[in-house]
Amino acid sequence: IKKERSRAYCIFSEHLRQELEIRSYVISHIDEAVENGYIEIYYQPVVRTLTGKLAGMEALARWRDPVYGFLRPDQFIPVLEEERLIDKLDRYVIRECGRQLRRQIDAHRPIVPISFNVSRMDFQLMDVLSEIEAVVRENELPRDYLRIEITETAMVQDSDKILKMIDRFRGNGYSVWLDDFGSGYSSLNVLKDYHFDELKIDMEFLRAFNDTSRKIITSVVMMAKAIGIHTLAEGVETREQVRFLRSIGCEKIQGYHYGRPMPYDELLVHCQERHLR
Ligand code: C2E
Ligand code: CA
Ligand code: CA
Ligand code: CA
């Protein structure tokens, strides 16, 4: 037993050591990663439940590192948030989304709204609205093709400030989405106090996909409808889930069933092949 334990400890400490190493690497290399293009944006299709047509896409950051290879978002996003460096990434993501839309317009191809993730910390580090406005202006984009996703946990702190920010966004014609709805502890309060355009139902509810979780999803969709908020289900992987979501009137769907996050050009091909447009 003693031997087993010390072996387990070794594996554990090796894992921890690596994690700490990546952590400090991320902190000291974020500028370089952004400047040298190690950060790539992947786009995941969002599909209209009724028609199966492309309704938009979500921008998700990837870090392809020359030393560490592929880093997952959970290896760098939380670190950047804790170290108050997340704005460096998110400024870049917003700019890239704007450029991507501009390239699409220049190629005379139709565009769909792109949504991006904003962290709680971003509101302390940057003027998110000004950043978006600048990108829209520079790329001469139509309004509301860049959309903001805020996670529920982001509401917990500085709630007054975030509440004002959300109203400012919407006052300026931008849609604001509540991300990961149901994953936190304050779901209903958040809906009562903040004004969102759309609610993304956390994928945990679909993971189980049993009688109880189906009832919860159904109630969430009904409740959202009653207060005039659109719904999107995340993490949809099966046809059965699509059928269910259609039957309860959930408006949009995102998940591996329609496509994983992928580079923009790949997504264009993917959408054509799968007739998503
Ligand atoms: P999120 O905003 O909830 O994004 C959805 C996550 O679910 C993505 O993970 C996506 O790849 C994954 N996903 C989508 N469909 C499915 C599915 O059908 N099944 C399963 N199992 N997973 C699915 P990803 O890309 O690893 O991102 C993780 C989180 O990191 C995101 O969660 C978001 O909170 C954060 N993040 C990603 N990119 C950025 C960014 O540029 N800025 C900020 N601030 N946060 C980001
Ligand atoms: Ca999101
Ligand atoms: Ca989410
Ligand atoms: Ca999430």
Side-chain angles (χ1 to χ4, degrees), residues 58 117 149 179 200:
E58 177 176 6
N117 296 281
E149 294 191 13
D179 202 356
K200 297 186 86 166

Side-chain angles (χ1 to χ4, degrees), residues 192-258:
K192 176 170 71 61
D193 298 336
Y194 300 82
H195 310 113
F196 291 99
D197 299 279
E198 193 155 319
L199 186 156
K200 297 186 86 166
I201 303 167
D202 194 69
M203 66 176 86
E204 269 318 301
F205 293 109
L206 277 183
R207 281 294 76 72
F209 205 57
N210 51 32
D211 193 45
T212 305
S213 69
R214 275 197 289 265
K215 280 180 179 150
I216 293 174
I217 295 171
T218 307
S219 326
V220 168
V221 170
M222 279 171 58
M223 179 182 62
K225 270 193 204 308
I227 56 176
I229 303 177
H230 295 290
T231 45
L232 181 156
E234 281 191 285
V236 176
E237 294 182 355
T238 68
R239 189 164 303 160
E240 194 194 358
Q241 291 169 340
V242 173
R243 224 176 287 133
F244 163 71
L245 291 162
R246 194 174 291 145
S247 77
I248 62 166
C250 176
E251 280 115 339
K252 291 176 192 168
I253 288 180
Q254 182 180 346
Y256 294 169
H257 179 72
Y258 285 107

Side-chain angles (χ1 to χ4, degrees), residues 21 36 68 94 107-108 127 145 154 182 219 228 232:
E21 188 181 302
N36 297 352
Y68 285 96
I94 298 171
H108 304 289
D127 184 342
Y145 274 81
S219 326
L232 181 156

